[in-house]
Amino acid sequence: MDINLARTFLTVSETGSFVDAARQMNLTQSTVSARIRGLEEQLGRPLFERSHMGADLTAAGEQFRKHALALVRVWQHAQLEVKLSSDHRDHLAVGAELSFWQDFLTNWLGWLRSEMPDIAVSATATGAPYLIQRLLEGTLDLAVMYQPTQPPGLVSEHLFDETFVLVTSTPPNRRRRNDDYVSTDWGGEFLRDHASAFPELPSGGLHLDIGANGVAYLLENEASCYCPRRLVKHHVARGRLRLAARSRKFVYPVFAVYPEARDVDAYEPILEGLRRLASKAG
């Protein structure tokens, strides 16, 4: 299928309008309409409900959207690998949930670039379902995440156990207040366990969808929040933060996920470096 058809479909679905899609893609509206009609003819189903208000996805359109996204990603991945092939012997696409890029995986990338400079690396930060999807479609070679699902064709290797601890920047001679508590999002499992453990905890008025921002906030403000121990241990050692006494801890296993069908000789040195750093991260 012409990749431009998939891109045009996605642009129309995002803008909800053939006119806006044409403007965004610098095309005429007739070209956009012709592309969508051609795509619908190939698939044998209408993809949009047209009206004077714009264009809404049909059930078939909703179903096709995930495949269109995969088609575009595969094409972009192929372009990147071909572009890099002249200067590098291989390309590694790695993804992880955002918190792992703070200290753990950035350290690993530094090691990888130092030890294997002939391997090009592309990195992405996103949620576990998207990482699994990309592993299955072949546009990701390795992912790091908490408690992954186990689809056929993928291997999950335990790296370390992540411990979430309650830390505070409130001076030890000052009592912590509930309204100084910062709610942080470290993923669905943590949010569920946190809500179950503290059903009566009042909202402090600040919620951070990106949990890793909690550390930066604490360093600039007197407050408390849950963070992975590996992200705060050096701040605790220096006295900039302190562990809240008698607070509950939450522990989650961390996994490296990669294809079952792989070049073992090529993967093993890369994984070995990841394992060595993981042994110091827990």
Side-chain angles (χ1 to χ4, degrees):
M1 188 187 78
D2 184 350
I3 200 69
N4 286 323
L5 297 185
R7 285 183 172 142
T8 303
F9 165 83
L10 290 171
T11 305
V12 175
S13 69
E14 289 163 5
T15 61
S17 164
F18 281 69
V19 174
D20 291 343
R23 186 180 300 115
Q24 185 169 313
M25 299 184 74
N26 199 26
L27 298 170
T28 64
Q29 184 180 344
S30 60
T31 298
V32 170
S33 297
R35 287 182 179 181
I36 298 300
R37 279 198 306 272
L39 183 57
E40 290 175 327
E41 288 172 3
Q42 289 184 39
L43 295 171
R45 299 286 299 279
L47 301 175
F48 292 98
E49 291 280 357
R50 282 87 160 168
S51 72
H52 68 281
M53 299 292 292
D56 296 318
L57 288 172
T58 62
E62 292 282 2
Q63 185 70 23
F64 178 68
R65 188 174 183 277
K66 61 183 179 182
H67 299 294
L69 287 167
L71 286 167
V72 171
R73 282 196 298 267
V74 169
W75 175 245
Q76 291 171 337
H77 186 73
Q79 286 180 305
L80 178 62
E81 291 207 328
V82 170
K83 181 180 179 181
L84 294 170
S85 63
S86 60
D87 299 317
H88 300 84
R89 68 175 172 86
D90 208 348
H91 169 235
L92 178 72
V94 57
E97 297 180 58
L98 183 61
S99 64
F100 295 120
W101 289 113
Q102 305 237 333
D103 98 341
F104 173 50
L105 286 181
T106 49
N107 290 341
W108 174 68
L109 285 182
W111 170 86
L112 189 63
R113 296 297 297 142
S114 174
E115 296 296 317
M116 304 176 191
D118 55 346
I119 295 180
V121 181
S122 58
T124 188
T126 189
Y130 183 63
L131 293 172
I132 292 292
Q133 183 180 342
R134 286 198 55 188
L135 283 164
L136 291 172
E137 70 190 25
T139 59
L140 207 61
D141 303 304
L142 174 67
V144 176
M145 65 188 80
Y146 300 111
Q147 300 178 319
T149 57
Q150 187 64 60
L154 297 179
V155 174
S156 295
E157 176 182 333
H158 179 256
L159 291 175
F160 63 94
D161 288 332
E162 182 92 283
T163 302
F164 288 85
V165 293
L166 182 62
V167 289
T168 180
S169 53
T170 303
N173 59 350
R174 192 175 305 166
R175 187 175 181 180
R176 287 188 293 115
R177 305 194 317 267
N178 283 336
D179 61 357
D180 285 340
Y181 182 74
V182 178
S183 173
T184 46
D185 186 346
W186 297 100
E189 194 75 17
F190 172 82
L191 290 176
R192 285 191 295 272
D193 290 347
H194 183 275
S196 176
F198 305 110
E200 306 301 325
L201 184 68
S203 171
L206 178 60
H207 175 80
L208 299 177
D209 279 346
I210 301 175
N213 288 343
V215 179
Y217 184 83
L218 291 190
L219 293 174
E220 298 295 331
N221 303 274
E222 290 186 12
S224 306
C225 74
Y226 270 94
C227 297
R229 184 168 56 194
R230 64 182 167 82
L231 292 186
V232 298
K233 59 185 178 183
H234 61 288
H235 295 303
V236 172
R238 294 172 185 172
R240 298 192 68 189
L241 300 175
R242 61 188 179 89
L243 296 174
R246 298 182 300 278
S247 59
R248 174 165 178 172
K249 297 179 175 65
F250 300 91
V251 182
Y252 303 99
V254 176
F255 294 88
V257 186
Y258 45 86
E260 193 174 64
R262 65 191 185 281
D263 183 339
V264 175
D265 292 338
Y267 265 78
E268 195 55 30
I270 293 170
L271 291 172
E272 189 53 41
L274 189 63
R275 293 176 190 125
R276 280 198 297 270
L277 283 176
S279 68
K280 304 172 186 178

